[in-house]
Amino acid sequence: MTKLINIVLAAMLLTAPAAAQSVMQGVDMTSPAMTEATMTRAEVETILADAKTKGQPADLTGARLNGLDLSGLDFSDAILRAARLNKASLVGANLDGANLDQAWLHSATLRGASLKAANLFQTQLIRADLSNADLTGARAPANFTRADLTGAIFRNADLSADMKNQSMGLMRGDLTKATLTGADFEGANLARVVFDFAVLTDSRLVGANLMGASLSGARLNQTDVTGANFNEADVTGTRLNGLIGEDKSSLSKAKNLDRAIR
């Protein structure tokens, strides 16, 4: 059985990055659109201040803000749809209620940022640092592949698949190979979300909906799964050592439980 599991894991390691690669295919990450900024921090501050004075959301749709230091700024309720923020610093920034749909934040730094109730549909956060970020109540079917989400808060967040856009493919949260040590997903909707090879050690999935999620090769060591829904969740090669609050009746509904590592 151990040999079989190793073979399965090896095969998955070869295919796990496919989703991220498909997103990146045809995108030139060295192009000016992805590497350069067309305004300064001071100009961004002016736009934010003017919008606040007028009592309306700041509109930065499609803005090129790559590499800028925007740490600590108040982007609450701002419209950043399709904006380019690759390698930008948003440490401690306030992005509560912001619209970041289809924005690019590849390798951006959002340590301790607040994204409560933010919209992150198809947002590209590949290799981003969101350690200790607060995404409480966010709608985030985003690409978090290889992101650092250590200590991040996703309470009552919705990363589930968008079933209304099937013509575009299955749009859902992708946390393939993400670091989620100590992350909090209490009450989150994680239906059909991808956690393949993610590290969820010491995290909280209390009351989370994991129906149909993919947890292949993920590490759930010492994870609190009290009240979690594992119906049809794929746990092939998943490390389930020392689960807290394990409900055997719920876990029994997972797919490939016999191939999990206990």
Side-chain angles (χ1 to χ4, degrees):
M1 179 60 72
T2 301
K3 183 177 181 181
L4 175 60
I5 290 173
N6 288 336
I7 292 172
V8 171
L9 290 176
M12 286 182 175
L13 281 170
L14 293 173
T15 60
Q21 289 175 352
S22 64
V23 170
M24 302 297 292
Q25 188 173 4
V27 177
D28 183 2
M29 293 302 295
T30 65
S31 68
M34 294 297 185
T35 59
E36 299 177 3
T38 55
M39 61 180 72
T40 65
R41 176 188 170 103
E43 289 172 327
V44 173
E45 289 178 317
T46 298
I47 291 172
L48 295 173
D50 288 347
K52 186 175 183 179
T53 299
K54 296 174 182 176
Q56 61 188 32
D59 192 344
L60 289 158
T61 300
R64 293 187 189 178
L65 307 173
N66 300 300
L68 291 184
D69 180 1
L70 304 170
S71 56
L73 294 188
D74 185 359
F75 288 95
S76 55
D77 298 318
I79 302 170
L80 289 152
R81 187 184 297 111
R84 304 294 192 264
L85 293 133
N86 298 313
K87 296 186 178 180
S89 176
L90 291 148
V91 176
N94 181 358
L95 291 146
D96 292 347
N99 186 331
L100 288 151
D101 291 349
Q102 299 178 317
W104 283 82
L105 292 102
H106 194 297
S107 300
T109 305
L110 296 98
R111 286 193 305 274
S114 184
L115 296 105
K116 296 176 182 176
N119 288 299
L120 298 147
F121 179 73
Q122 279 193 290
T123 306
Q124 301 303 316
L125 288 148
I126 303 165
R127 296 183 183 276
D129 181 355
L130 292 107
S131 52
N132 298 311
D134 191 345
L135 292 95
T136 298
R139 174 65 176 130
N143 189 348
F144 295 98
T145 300
R146 295 180 182 272
D148 184 354
L149 293 152
T150 303
I153 302 171
F154 285 90
R155 292 176 187 165
N156 300 311
D158 187 354
L159 286 72
S160 65
D162 186 344
M163 304 307 290
K164 298 178 182 178
N165 287 284
Q166 293 303 294
S167 62
M168 299 170 62
L170 191 61
M171 302 301 169
R172 55 185 170 176
D174 187 347
L175 295 101
T176 301
K177 295 187 177 181
T179 300
L180 295 152
T181 306
D184 187 352
F185 288 93
E186 182 172 353
N189 186 356
L190 308 171
R192 297 182 176 81
V193 170
V194 180
F195 286 98
D196 293 348
F197 298 95
V199 179
L200 287 145
T201 304
D202 296 319
S203 63
R204 299 182 76 247
L205 292 167
V206 177
N209 177 21
L210 290 150
M211 183 176 66
S214 182
L215 294 151
S216 299
R219 298 181 186 177
L220 272 68
N221 311 72
Q222 306 301 319
T223 297
D224 190 341
V225 296
T226 304
N229 177 11
F230 282 92
N231 188 31
E232 291 298 305
D234 190 350
V235 294
T236 304
T238 306
R239 295 184 179 277
L240 301 171
N241 312 86
L243 290 180
I244 299 169
E246 178 182 346
D247 182 343
K248 295 186 183 302
S249 63
S250 175
L251 199 58
S252 67
K253 297 176 183 177
K255 291 170 58 178
N256 302 315
L257 184 58
D258 60 323
R259 297 183 183 179
I261 301 171
R262 304 301 296 268

